[in-house]
């Protein structure tokens, strides 16, 4: 892909596109036609927009990037996860994941399908266990780059089912849990989710969208006042400041005494249960005291707890605890009346943890730069 400075058309809302069109002497009704080509028909070239005049198509071409991400490769794992590696116009790489979690006793066609999207290239939060943050933040994704990941997901689905055209609505959930800290790229993620949710956009229900954050307190408060009815997940990973700040530098800025009331406020304002994510890392946060503290926090917040056995990251020393240990930890929560799930990690073998696929490809590139 050639570097481009043009703005991505997929980052425009009905309002912003209408304004731009009218400012440039084009009729306002063209905005809906254009958005229809983008989201209902999913075209990837300007000439396909056959009901637009040639001068309008020319203006669009000069003004906007129509393909802000380019497909590089897909990696599949046990037919459960598809990782799409996408290249941006400045050659940065991001990934988007499709997770097909089979339900007990039903076939693949009845499995729950979840999409996981990225919001930044790299991440500035520097969590010690996470591959995405190893090399810091490269840049924010634009709203258009975030939205276009979903267009690529639909195209990927089209390949799997050549006769039926895949619709985003056929997915059960969308999680903002890929590379990056979404609340560190606040305006772009809100704009992208608005486009995803809108009837003139991808029409995906906000209640099926979960945003995960490492705990940027002022932004959580701001999010609680947004009209979008999203679900919220908090990457907790430590039930005391002492343990949490060892592995998450963000805890120094916003410790639990500030984070937890903000989460409670969100949950009460929105009237919905928040999820606490807790990666289990051997001898770091898997003690039974941590389990008891986590139980008390979750109970107080009426939150659901998602326990995730740690996925090993190349170059990092951490390990996942034994299955017995994981189950003991979960049981303390369960016995305390907390809603808890212990995730059985799928796709561990092929770098399921966030950011690892991209990191490997980038390292391979650095080792053997392409002649182009
Ligand atoms: N930055 C946001 C969203 C992206 S991270 C956040 O931190 O919430 C998505 C989830 O993957 C987070 O809960 C994160 O803690 C988790 N994660 C990161 N590295 C992991 C690893 N090696 N094993 C298991 N989960 C991991
Ligand atoms: Fe960033 Fe989330 Fe990884 Fe922490 S866990 S470094 S916030 S992507």
């Amino acid at each position: 892909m050639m570097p481009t400075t043009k703005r991505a058309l997929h980052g425009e809302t009905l309002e912003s596109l209408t304004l731009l069109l009218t400012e440039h002497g084009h009729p306002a009704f063209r905005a809906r036609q254009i958005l229809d080509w983008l989201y209902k028909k999913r075209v990837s070239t300007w000439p396909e927009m056959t009901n637009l005049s040639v001068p309008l198509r020319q203006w669009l071409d000069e003004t906007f990037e129509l393909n802000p991400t380019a497909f590089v490769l897909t990696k599949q794992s046990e037919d459960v996860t598809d990782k799409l590696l996408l290249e941006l116009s400045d050659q940065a790489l991001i990934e988007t994941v499709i997770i097909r979690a089979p339900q007990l006793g039903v076939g693949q066609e009845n499995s729950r399908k979840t999409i996981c999207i990225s919001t930044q290239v790299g991440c500035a939060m520097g969590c010690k266990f996470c591959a995405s943050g190893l090399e810091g933040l490269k840049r924010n994704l634009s709203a258009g780059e975030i939205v276009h990941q979903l267009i690529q997901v639909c195209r990927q689905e089209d390949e799997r089912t050549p006769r039926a055209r895949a619709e985003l609505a056929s997915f059960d959930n969308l999680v903002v849990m890929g590379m990056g800290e979404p609340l560190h790229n606040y305006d772009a993620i809100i704009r992208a989710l608005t486009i995803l949710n809108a009837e003139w956009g991808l029409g995906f229900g906000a209640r099926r969208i979960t945003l995960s954050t490492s705990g940027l307190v002022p932004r959580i408060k701001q999010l609680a006042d947004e009209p979008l009815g999203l679900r919220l997940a908090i990457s907790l990973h430590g039930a005391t400041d002492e343990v949490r700040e060892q592995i998450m530098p963000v805890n120094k800025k916003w410790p639990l005494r500030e984070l937890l009331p903000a989460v409670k406020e969100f949950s009460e304002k929105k009237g919905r249960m928040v999820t606490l994510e807790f990666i289990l890392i051997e001898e770091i946060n898997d003690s039974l005291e941590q389990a008891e503290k986590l139980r008390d926090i979750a109970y107080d917040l009426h939150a659901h707890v998602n326990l995730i056995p740690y996925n090993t990251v190349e170059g990092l020393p951490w390990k996942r605890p034994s299955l017995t240990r994981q189950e003991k930890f979960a049981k303390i929560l369960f016995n305390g009346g907390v809603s808890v799930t212990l995730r059985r990690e799928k796709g561990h073998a092929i770098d399921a943890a966030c950011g690892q696929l991209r990191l490997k490809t980038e390292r391979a590139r650095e080792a053997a730069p392409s002649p182009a």
Side-chain angles (χ1 to χ4, degrees), residues 84-95:
L84 315 189
L85 189 67
L86 305 175
E87 188 180 54
L88 310 179
S89 59
D90 60 357
Q91 256 114 59
L93 295 170
I94 55 163
E95 54 187 22

Side-chain angles (χ1 to χ4, degrees), residues 123 129-131 176-178 180-182 212-214 235 237 277 279 308-313 353-354 356:
C123 182
F129 48 81
C130 175
V176 188
M177 291 190 189
E181 167 49 58
S212 175
T213 177
S214 60
S235 286
H237 313 325
E277 294 165 279
I279 307 178
I308 311 155
Y310 183 63
N311 255 315
T312 43
V313 173
C354 67
Q356 279 171 275

Side-chain angles (χ1 to χ4, degrees), residues 91-303:
Q91 256 114 59
L93 295 170
I94 55 163
E95 54 187 22
T96 309
V97 187
I98 304 170
I99 306 145
R100 298 168 219 279
Q103 289 176 332
L104 279 180
V106 292
Q108 274 284 293
E109 58 292 351
N110 291 327
S111 66
R112 284 184 77 75
K113 293 196 295 181
T114 301
I115 307 163
C116 173
I117 57 169
S118 295
T119 55
Q120 296 182 311
V121 183
C123 182
M125 307 313 293
C127 304
K128 299 269 179 15
F129 48 81
C130 175
S132 293
L134 281 181
E135 293 177 2
L137 174 68
K138 291 214 170 122
R139 70 169 172 89
N140 277 330
L141 296 189
S142 68
E145 288 168 331
I146 299 172
V147 171
H148 202 251
Q149 293 175 61
L150 282 317
I151 301 293
Q152 297 286 18
V153 164
C154 292
R155 288 191 187 142
Q156 172 75 10
E157 281 297 281
D158 284 345
E159 304 251 313
R160 279 176 70 97
T161 49
R163 260 163 300 179
R165 199 165 167 283
E167 294 301 333
L168 196 66
S170 73
F171 287 86
D172 300 281
N173 297 298
L174 195 151
V175 297
V176 188
M177 291 190 189
M179 200 188 338
E181 167 49 58
L183 298 188
H184 194 208
N185 187 13
Y186 192 86
D187 294 345
I189 189 64
I190 295 298
R191 191 172 175 106
L193 294 178
T194 304
I195 295 166
L196 268 172
N197 182 232
E199 129 289 317
W200 46 260
L202 282 158
F204 197 82
R207 274 150 205 279
R208 293 191 284 157
I209 303 176
T210 304
L211 183 146
S212 175
T213 177
S214 60
L216 276 60
V217 169
R219 295 304 198 181
I220 294 173
K221 291 185 177 162
Q222 196 175 346
L223 194 65
D225 292 326
E226 296 284 349
L228 280 165
L230 304 173
R231 293 179 175 274
L232 182 68
I234 304 291
S235 286
L236 201 65
H237 313 325
T240 53
D241 283 327
E242 197 192 356
V243 169
R244 193 167 192 260
E245 73 183 32
Q246 257 184 46
I247 51 178
M248 298 184 73
V250 66
N251 196 74
K252 296 215 174 83
K253 195 155 188 192
W254 290 295
L256 295 176
R257 68 174 174 279
E258 294 194 39
L259 176 60
L260 300 178
V263 175
K264 192 164 201 171
E265 190 187 316
F266 182 95
S267 172
E268 283 170 357
K269 264 194 190 162
K270 294 287 185 189
R272 48 190 31 224
M273 214 173 184
V274 167
T275 296
L276 303 176
E277 294 165 279
F278 202 95
I279 307 178
L280 291 169
I281 314 176
E282 190 176 78
E283 288 185 13
I284 300 288
N285 63 2
D286 66 337
S287 73
L288 304 183
E289 295 80 63
Q290 281 288 299
E292 286 164 4
K293 292 257 164 44
L294 178 58
R295 173 198 62 199
D296 296 346
I297 292 173
Y299 194 84
D300 180 53
L301 293 174
H302 304 289

